[in-house]
Amino acid sequence: MKTFRKLALLLALVVGASYTVSAQGLNVSTGDTEAGISMDAGEKKSKKKKKSKKKEAKKSSVSKVGKAVGKLKSFNGKASKKAVVYVYLQSASWCPPCNQEMPEVVNLYNEMKKDGRAELILVGHDRTEDGAKAFLKKYKAKFPGVVSSAKGVDALPGFSVANGIPHATMVDGEGNVLASGYPSSVIAQWQQAVQKIESADAAPESADTEE
């Protein structure tokens, strides 16, 4: 009888130990599996956050042209450093065709100013800054200006002195020339230029989101 009880007790201990090991193994296995899933999800979220930060940095960063115009000591206000496209207008008060063009240029600029994604800068060919200021004042032009001899003008990305005036050059943020020629026809393209650039910038962002 005692022998039977000892055998029964021994059997119970063996079964209990086996159950404990099995249960621990199950917990460990389940824990590892859950941890693995959690880590993968965390990595994906981390990657998305990094990509999101890169996109935000890209949007908020100042372009090459933005940095250059920010250094100009312009009159009639400061040029925007965060425009998508920029237009360099070469004109002068003593030039009859320039005076003929100015009313239309002012109208186009007013539309640009409301939108905020395009900037127009007068690079005046008047001999003095006062002459260029008076030229803008005459037509109630609100865009910033500098004279062609001012410091920093030759460092504007995409700018070059025109052979004749009036003349306008439209560039993107990196200074790549998008259009050049007679001011009214060039400036009128600002909306198309902005939309094209923004569409191109949005394409890789969509691909990142899908990942």
Side-chain angles (χ1 to χ4, degrees):
M1 188 68 178
K2 289 181 180 180
T3 303
F4 177 76
R5 286 180 181 176
K6 287 180 179 180
L7 288 173
L9 182 58
L10 181 60
L11 181 60
L13 290 171
V14 171
V15 172
S18 176
Y19 176 78
T20 303
V21 171
S22 176
Q24 288 176 346
L26 180 62
N27 288 338
V28 171
S29 176
T30 304
D32 287 345
T33 304
E34 290 176 352
I37 293 171
S38 177
M39 284 173 65
D40 290 343
E43 286 178 2
K44 288 180 180 179
K45 287 181 181 178
S46 179
K47 287 180 181 178
K48 285 183 179 179
K49 285 181 180 178
K50 286 180 181 178
K51 287 175 182 177
S52 178
K53 286 181 180 179
K54 285 181 180 179
K55 290 173 191 174
E56 290 175 3
K58 185 176 180 181
K59 289 179 181 179
S60 62
S61 62
V62 178
S63 67
K64 188 185 293 184
V65 177
K67 290 176 181 177
V69 299
K71 295 177 181 178
L72 292 176
K73 290 184 178 180
S74 59
F75 50 82
N76 209 42
K78 293 291 291 182
S80 170
K81 295 191 291 183
K82 292 190 177 182
V84 178
V85 298
Y86 291 84
V87 178
Y88 306 132
L89 170 67
Q90 298 186 62
S91 190
S93 63
W94 47 262
C95 162
C98 297
N99 281 272
Q100 291 174 2
E101 272 283 275
M102 190 56 82
E104 181 61 19
V105 167
V106 171
N107 288 335
L108 289 168
Y109 174 75
N110 290 338
E111 293 177 8
M112 292 166 62
K113 186 66 175 178
K114 288 178 183 178
D115 183 87
R117 294 175 295 172
E119 180 63 286
L120 175 66
I121 303 165
L122 169 71
V123 180
H125 287 272
D126 281 272
R127 291 183 179 179
T128 65
E129 187 174 292
D130 287 341
K133 287 180 180 178
F135 183 43
L136 292 180
K137 186 176 181 180
K138 177 181 178 180
Y139 294 98
K140 298 180 180 179
K142 302 298 182 182
F143 47 87
V146 292
V147 291
S148 57
S149 58
K151 183 180 179 181
V153 171
D154 56 353
L156 291 171
F159 175 80
S160 61
V161 178
N163 292 324
I165 56 173
H167 185 275
T169 303
M170 182 184 294
V171 300
D172 63 15
E174 295 303 304
N176 299 308
V177 176
L178 305 175
S180 63
Y182 216 63
S184 58
S185 60
V186 171
I187 300 170
Q189 301 176 49
W190 72 267
Q191 285 180 312
Q192 292 177 327
V194 167
Q195 290 171 359
K196 187 174 181 180
I197 292 170
E198 290 186 336
S199 295
D201 288 343
E205 289 181 10
S206 299
D208 287 344
T209 304
E210 289 176 3
E211 289 178 7

